[in-house]
Amino acid sequence: MKEYTNGEVIVLWDPDKCIHSRHCIKGLPKVFDRDKRPWIDLKGASSEEITKVIDICPSGALSYRRVSDGEKKIEPSAQIKATKSGPLLIQGDCALTDEEGKVLKDKGPYALCRCGNSKNKPYCDGTHTERGFNDSQ
Ligand code: FES
């Protein structure tokens, strides 16, 4: 996890989560430039512009907190649990939408297939068991 600050916001970047969607680079090229080192330069835009772009980061690789908030811990309102050799269990306030943005579930709990064999995708239908899905392989 890397941190960058402009004195107002602290931007956090977790490279292991990045899916290279390029929302940041396209949204604020003066701040997010993968050809520069460091690749994040918070002098390129206002804190509001920066947080607006980070809010649309689909992977969560980019996040931020306001310096004025100090170190207070923000409790997540949703949890995703990867079960052993089974589905992803979603709990809490986490909406599920289709690719057009139509809401399929407005909140958890629900279980998402991660083996790829469900006949009721995106939901798990238990097929992972009969197919012998093993997430350790
Ligand atoms: S994880 Fe259960 S059917 Fe795919």
Side-chain angles (χ1 to χ4, degrees):
M1 183 78 78
K2 297 193 180 201
E3 290 189 11
Y4 307 84
T5 187
N6 61 4
E8 293 178 357
V9 293
I10 298 168
V11 172
L12 307 159
W13 181 55
D14 185 346
D16 293 336
K17 284 186 180 176
C18 187
I19 61 171
H20 307 287
S21 65
R22 302 173 46 91
H23 287 80
C24 53
I25 292 168
K26 289 183 205 163
L28 278 178
K30 288 183 178 171
V31 173
F32 303 100
D33 184 342
R34 68 181 194 186
D35 294 329
K36 288 187 178 168
R37 293 294 173 266
W39 80 283
I40 297 176
D41 179 3
L42 299 183
K43 291 185 291 241
S46 72
S47 295
E48 292 313 306
E49 292 171 312
I50 292 166
T51 56
K52 212 174 196 177
V53 165
I54 292 174
D55 283 341
I56 60 169
C57 175
S59 67
L62 284 168
S63 61
Y64 64 89
R65 66 177 190 265
R66 298 196 182 278
V67 171
S68 60
D69 289 343
E71 290 295 320
K72 83 178 170 192
K73 188 168 169 69
I74 299 168
E75 293 298 325
S77 58
Q79 182 180 29
I80 301 172
K81 180 178 182 182
T83 63
K84 180 155 180 50
S85 301
L88 298 172
L89 301 179
I90 316 306
Q91 298 173 322
D93 292 331
C94 183
L96 174 67
T97 67
D98 66 13
E99 61 193 27
E100 277 90 38
K102 179 183 162 206
V103 175
L104 304 174
K105 294 274 188 186
D106 63 346
K107 63 181 179 180
Y110 51 90
L112 297 176
C113 174
R114 98 181 144 115
C115 74
N117 294 307
S118 173
K119 294 169 201 70
N120 187 30
K121 291 184 190 82
Y123 307 107
C124 170
D125 68 357
T127 304
H128 62 271
T129 304
E130 60 192 63
R131 293 287 180 98
F133 174 62
N134 184 342
D135 58 14
S136 64
Q137 295 176 341

